[in-house]
Amino acid sequence: MTHNVVSVSGGKDSTALLLLAIVQEVPNLQAVFADTGHEHQQTYDYVNYLAQATGVPIRWVKADFSEQIARKRLYVDTKWREKGVPDSIVEQALAVLHPTGIPFLDLCLWKGRFPSTKTRFCTTELKVNPLIEQVMLPLMDEGGMVLSWQGVRADESLARRYLPKCDEVGGGLFNYRPILRWKVADVFDAHHLMGIKPNPLYLQGAGRVGCMPCVNCNKDELRQIAQRWPEEVDRVREWERLVSLASKRGCSTFFSAVDDPTYKEGDIITHENYGIDRMVEWSMTSRGGRQFDLTRIFADASSCSSIYGLCE
Ligand code: SF4
C-alpha cells in the first residue's frame, strides 16, 4: 500500500501540490497542515477554505512543548539557583514558564530565545517533527510506502535547485517533489484551472505567506506586515516580553540584536530598545535611512531555505 501525504502550508506552492495530487487521483491521499501558532488569521481561514473547496480534509498537527517546559521549570528552580542566578530572574522565569498552547511561543519559552537565520530550529521543531511523529511514523508502522509530497520548486533558492525529484529517507518513507521544475506561473495556473482562489494575502501584496513574520523575512516584507497588519507586530512585541522573562539573560528579541550594525559593544540590550519596534522603524527607512547589513540580518532573504518546502 502507498500512502500519499501532502504537506499544506496555506501558500501557493503547497496548494498547487495538493491540486496535482487530486487531479492524479493518487490513492490514500492525506493532506496535513502543521500549525505554528504564528500564522496570519487569513492563512488559517484559507486552509479551511481549501479543505472545503477541494473536498479533501486537511488534518492539523501541532507541536506540544509541555514536557520540555516542565523540565525547564525544574532546571530553572534548581540549577539556575545553584549557579547563582538572582532570585528575581528565577522567579520571573518560573512565572511565565507555563505552556500557552501556541507552538511558536512555547518553543521560544522553552529555549529562552527566538530562532534566527543562523539557528533556525523553528522549522524542525514546529513542522518537521510534528509531521514525522504524528503522521509519517504511524503510517510507516502500518507498512507499505509513504510518499511525503513537498511543494518545493527549484527556482526558489540555491538549496532547492539541486534537489532530486524523489529520494528515500528510509524505512519506506520517500520525499517526493513533483512540482520541482514548475515556474511560479504554473503554480497560479493550477489554482485557476481547478477554480481555487489563492491565499488572499498574495492579493494584498504579500510575497510569501507563513509565519508572520518569518525570521527570514526581508525589509519590504517587514514593512508591509507592520503597515497592513500592525496587530502581528503587537503580538510579537508581547512575545518578546514573555520570552525575555524566560531567558537567563532577561532579554530576547525576535530578530538578533547583535546583528544590528548600530549596536555598540557595552550597549545594554533589552527587548524594548532592540526589539521588533526597532526593526519595524528601520523597515520604514529608504536608502538614506539608518542602514543595516541585510546579508547578516536576513540571510537568504528571498525565501526560507528549508529544503522541505514546509516554510514558503
Ligand atoms: S516560516 Fe520562518 S519562522 Fe516560520 S517556521 Fe519557517 S523558517 Fe521558522
Side-chain angles (χ1 to χ4, degrees):
M1 178 191 272
T2 300
H3 298 278
N4 288 280
V5 180
V6 177
S7 300
V8 170
S9 70
K12 61 188 185 313
D13 295 327
S14 68
T15 298
L17 190 71
L18 177 61
L19 298 177
L20 181 65
I22 293 170
V23 166
Q24 292 183 347
E25 297 182 350
V26 297
N28 305 310
L29 171 62
Q30 280 198 40
V32 187
F33 169 66
D35 177 15
T36 64
H38 186 31
E39 319 284 325
H40 196 283
Q41 184 56 47
Q42 292 186 58
T43 292
Y44 291 126
D45 295 343
Y46 183 73
V47 173
N48 286 327
Y49 154 78
L50 202 52
Q52 172 266 318
T54 61
V56 175
I58 299 177
R59 178 177 165 194
W60 291 38
V61 293
K62 277 168 83 166
D64 178 359
F65 300 103
S66 306
E67 285 180 15
Q68 290 92 329
I69 289 176
R71 280 201 300 273
K72 178 164 178 180
R73 282 185 65 79
L74 197 59
Y75 188 84
V76 167
D77 210 8
T78 53
K79 300 291 180 193
W80 280 22
R81 290 190 199 279
E82 283 170 29
K83 289 177 182 169
V85 177
D87 279 350
S88 58
I89 300 278
V90 171
E91 296 305 330
Q92 69 185 22
L94 291 175
V96 294
L97 279 170
H98 298 285
T100 65
I102 302 170
F104 198 108
L105 175 57
D106 286 351
L107 171 64
C108 299
L109 288 171
W110 163 40
K111 298 272 189 186
R113 58 164 295 180
F114 289 91
S116 68
T117 53
K118 290 179 196 135
T119 317
R120 209 187 53 224
F121 47 81
C122 44
T123 314
T124 302
E125 295 284 355
L126 298 171
K127 298 189 175 186
V128 177
N129 289 350
L131 283 169
I132 288 179
E133 289 161 11
Q134 297 174 40
V135 181
M136 306 301 182
L137 286 178
L139 289 176
M140 289 162 72
D141 284 346
E142 287 178 21
M145 187 161 80
V146 181
L147 284 186
S148 171
W149 288 52
Q150 296 164 4
V152 295
R153 292 185 300 105
D155 64 5
E156 286 177 294
S157 72
L158 201 58
R160 295 177 179 188
R161 190 168 306 162
Y162 301 106
L163 286 172
K165 191 167 174 184
C166 188
D167 59 1
E168 183 170 10
V169 179
L173 175 63
F174 292 78
N175 293 320
Y176 181 47
R177 309 176 181 98
I179 67 166
L180 196 62
R181 302 294 156 204
W182 287 28
K183 302 297 176 198
V184 68
D186 303 325
V187 166
F188 284 115
D189 279 353
H191 287 67
H192 181 66
L193 286 170
M194 296 287 284
I196 297 295
K197 293 181 285 189
N199 186 320
L201 292 175
Y202 294 120
L203 306 176
Q204 294 161 48
R208 53 167 290 283
V209 303
C211 287
M212 193 61 67
C214 170
V215 292
N216 274 345
C217 85
N218 64 30
K219 185 179 183 183
D220 285 345
E221 286 167 352
L222 184 58
R223 183 179 63 247
Q224 282 207 7
I225 289 168
Q227 288 175 334
R228 289 173 189 271
W229 307 293
E231 65 279 7
E232 305 295 339
V233 174
D234 294 343
R235 179 172 50 75
V236 171
R237 186 186 309 111
E238 173 61 8
W239 287 8
E240 286 182 325
R241 187 184 72 79
L242 295 171
V243 177
S244 291
L245 293 173
S247 154
K248 201 194 287 184
R249 290 189 298 125
C251 167
S252 184
T253 56
F254 189 84
F255 296 111
S256 177
V258 291
D259 284 340
D260 178 344
T262 65
Y263 164 74
K264 292 182 204 71
E265 208 162 328
D267 263 10
I268 296 173
I269 297 174
T270 69
H271 64 276
E272 284 107 342
N273 63 4
Y274 274 94
I276 184 87
D277 290 323
R278 184 182 178 99
M279 297 304 286
V280 166
E281 184 194 323
W282 161 74
S283 77
M284 304 292 175
T285 61
S286 59
R287 280 168 175 269
R290 184 163 57 96
Q291 294 298 307
F292 286 71
D293 182 350
L294 266 175
T295 57
R296 291 190 66 202
I297 298 174
F298 297 122
D300 192 20
S302 60
S303 68
C304 167
S305 61
S306 158
I307 61 165
Y308 299 102
L310 296 171
C311 304
E312 190 180 44

